[in-house]
Amino acid sequence: MTRGVARKVVFSNGFGDRQQAGQLVPRGCLALLLLCAAAVPGAEIPAPVDEKPVDYAIVVTGRELLEGVYADSHTLFLTRTLRSSGLHCLFSISVDDSPADIAEALRYASTKVPLVIVTGGLGPTENDVTRQALSEFTRIPLYEHPEILQDMERRMGVSRDQLRANLRRQSQMPTRGTYLKNAGGSAAGLVFELEDRVIVALPGPPRELQPMVRDELVPYLSRRFGTRPRGCSLTIRFVGLGQSQIDQTMKDHAPLPVGVLVSSNFEGGRVDFTFALAGDNAENRAQLEELKRQTAECLGDHIYAYDETTTLEQHVVSLLAQRGVTLAVAEAGSGGSLVSALDGVDDAERTVLGGFVSRTGERLRHLLRVPDEKWQAAASPAEQTELLAAALAAATPAQWSVVIGDVQRDERGASYVTVVYRFGDGRLESQRVGVRGGDVGRGQLTTQLLDQLRLRLR
């Protein structure tokens, strides 16, 4: 990576408008620099004019993000969660997980905002360098915190003298600052407190980061910066309906309270509506609760969550767990998108036992060992897909099986796949799902498949 070269940074708000920041930024550390408002499409909920929001920046670490292995979900979660508490994200930077790159990002960010939030790199592996990088940058030494060390002893079931050095390193906290408890893991969050700014480090796994932000970071920021919730809001997540149909149905059956601000976001067949009122009081909360009830009455079949952090994938995995159902998947025409989406959910391995993916149903039937005579005797692609479902059920201990067959064309030339669901009692259900080309079409297909699973699991 080239060092010591500077360039102008251009911001984009995601709608084609661009502006130059007018600052020189070291090239080595910047893989992505964007306005965080762009990470949350839809209208902003304005803050009261008499209160100035606290500006902050996000530094997301991890080479796997820069290589496209994972998407950056941290910026989206943080901006959505902290916005309602009166914090304004000025920008987000993604960097490699190296001390030099983290330091470059911190040097830039700390000149712009009083609060910098760093994600990732607090674990026990060699490339988890965030803790030491922040200590060196802030010149705040680290020490073993006795409570963290004691909690680690309890978690691991061994004395501190028997803890491996890489694990014990996770008990190191800044001598000037504090730490944030981790209910889901061993890596506590770090808070480095300087005279005029604060740098916070959060663990990378979403299952650890997200509860820590809600339960630990938000209260800390309230104490440190005097932030507080700006009004109250309700987010409803829909699937299977378009924005205009949702909007019209609500106008007819769930009228909005006076003064409510509405923002919406549409992506891949999923629609989010957020409703906000300026004051956080019992009357406004009651109005939003009534709106939630009315919306559930008229649109409940299409609602999968009432908060902005629960994804459709998480909801389906949660339904599988609630039903005590395990699932196996075989995919041809969907290219593995369904099992990939489910596998990305924390703890999915308890319910999603695995998947077979191939480019064609013919190849799938070899993987699942469907006999030649049965395959050739099938009268249609739909019957072949049913054979695959039966073979998948026989090949795995999963109670439910889902098979997505080859892409076919109907009499009008429209593309579709046949999806077969096989349930624990041996019952089969078959349906056609339309298919469009490109990444957008693949995302919509994945959403439709997840939605159909959701409906069958309710």
Side-chain angles (χ1 to χ4, degrees):
M1 184 176 291
T2 305
R3 306 289 182 189
V5 181
R7 63 176 177 180
K8 292 284 185 177
V9 176
V10 176
F11 295 88
S12 171
N13 64 5
F15 297 94
D17 300 327
R18 296 160 67 85
Q19 70 180 64
Q20 188 163 283
Q23 298 292 332
L24 291 176
V25 184
R27 179 183 297 168
C29 77
L30 299 184
L32 171 65
L33 183 55
L34 52 88
L35 287 177
C36 287
V40 189
E44 285 280 337
I45 301 173
V49 295
D50 59 337
E51 296 184 22
K52 186 179 185 304
V54 175
D55 289 334
Y56 71 100
I58 303 170
V59 177
V60 184
T61 71
R63 180 172 301 174
E64 66 277 9
L65 298 173
L66 305 180
E67 294 178 347
V69 179
Y70 301 109
D72 168 23
S73 62
H74 294 333
T75 294
L76 180 62
F77 173 80
L78 286 167
T79 52
R80 281 182 164 178
T81 304
L82 300 182
R83 179 182 61 180
S84 61
S85 293
L87 290 109
H88 171 247
C89 182
L90 198 61
F91 55 84
S92 174
I93 305 173
S94 292
V95 302
D96 197 355
D97 41 11
S98 73
D101 289 344
I102 294 172
E104 287 186 26
L106 291 172
R107 274 193 290 272
Y108 176 75
S110 61
T111 65
K112 305 296 180 184
V113 292
L115 170 64
V116 181
I117 299 175
V118 184
T119 69
L122 298 181
T125 63
E126 288 185 3
N127 64 336
D128 289 317
V129 299
T130 298
R131 175 181 285 99
Q132 191 61 37
L134 266 59
S135 175
E136 293 176 1
F137 177 80
T138 60
R139 298 182 182 179
I140 296 177
L142 300 170
Y143 77 106
E144 284 189 343
H145 195 289
E147 291 181 9
I148 299 296
L149 196 55
Q150 184 177 8
D151 182 66
M152 192 172 295
E153 289 178 308
R154 180 184 58 80
R155 283 176 176 271
M156 301 300 174
V158 298
S159 68
R160 62 189 62 188
D161 294 335
Q162 294 174 306
L163 283 170
R164 296 194 304 271
N166 60 340
L167 290 174
R168 187 161 176 167
R169 188 174 67 237
Q170 293 181 292
S171 70
Q172 294 179 349
M173 301 295 132
T175 56
R176 193 160 77 244
T178 186
Y179 70 93
L180 307 175
K181 294 180 181 178
N182 187 343
S186 58
L190 311 179
V191 180
F192 291 80
E193 293 185 340
L194 299 141
E195 291 184 5
D196 55 349
R197 70 183 65 91
V198 172
I199 300 177
V200 176
L202 302 172
R207 68 180 181 276
E208 299 179 29
L209 179 145
Q210 294 182 8
M212 183 182 292
V213 169
R214 289 190 293 260
D215 301 336
E216 296 285 319
L217 179 59
V218 169
Y220 167 79
L221 295 177
S222 177
R223 296 190 299 270
R224 179 63 171 78
F225 292 99
T227 59
R228 59 184 178 83
R230 300 259 176 119
C232 52
S233 64
L234 165 69
T235 295
I236 305 180
R237 313 200 82 173
F238 299 89
V239 64
L241 285 180
Q243 285 173 297
S244 60
Q245 189 172 355
I246 296 169
D247 183 64
Q248 187 60 54
T249 303
M250 293 192 66
K251 286 179 180 177
D252 295 339
H253 302 284
L256 298 179
V258 175
V260 72
L261 297 173
V262 183
S263 61
S264 63
N265 177 43
F266 171 85
E267 184 177 4
R270 312 177 197 189
V271 181
D272 296 348
F273 272 81
T274 297
F275 310 93
L277 288 164
D280 185 10
N281 52 54
E283 180 182 356
N284 284 349
R285 290 194 295 271
Q287 289 189 77
L288 292 180
E289 191 62 29
E290 176 62 15
L291 177 62
K292 175 181 175 180
R293 185 192 65 78
Q294 293 176 350
T295 306
E297 284 186 357
C298 60
L299 291 166
D301 287 344
H302 298 279
I303 296 172
Y304 66 88
Y306 290 100
D307 68 87
E308 56 190 10
T309 61
T310 300
T311 66
L312 181 56
E313 290 83 355
Q314 290 170 332
H315 179 62
V316 170
V317 170
S318 175
L319 289 175
L320 287 167
Q322 291 172 24
R323 287 282 299 269
V325 171
T326 52
L327 177 72
V329 180
E331 301 182 66
S334 52
S337 62
L338 176 59
V339 71
S340 177
L342 292 171
D343 190 55
V345 177
D346 290 333
D347 298 326
E349 66 273 8
R350 298 180 183 178
T351 53
V352 184
L353 301 190
F356 294 81
V357 180
S358 188
R359 293 182 63 87
T360 65
E362 174 69 23
R363 293 181 181 178
L364 271 182
R365 72 104 172 178
H366 286 296
L367 289 173
L368 294 170
R369 300 181 179 180
V370 176
D372 292 348
E373 59 274 15
K374 285 189 176 182
W375 189 258
Q376 293 165 3
S380 66
E383 290 187 11
Q384 291 179 336
T385 307
E386 291 180 358
L387 286 174
L388 292 172
L392 179 61
T396 71
Q399 287 117 346
W400 283 26
S401 303
V402 179
V403 178
I404 299 96
D406 289 316
V407 177
Q408 307 286 331
R409 290 189 180 275
D410 62 19
E411 58 279 2
R412 295 173 298 177
S415 298
Y416 70 92
V417 292
T418 297
V419 183
V420 174
Y421 305 86
R422 192 179 193 279
F423 306 103
D425 57 3
R427 181 169 45 92
L428 296 176
E429 282 189 17
S430 179
Q431 69 172 156
R432 287 185 177 185
V433 178
V435 178
R436 294 182 180 181
D439 292 339
V440 173
R442 179 63 58 84
Q444 291 176 339
L445 174 60
T446 304
T447 293
Q448 291 181 78
L449 295 172
L450 289 167
D451 188 30
Q452 290 302 316
L453 267 175
R454 176 188 71 90
L455 293 172
R456 286 165 173 78
L457 285 164
R458 290 189 309 168

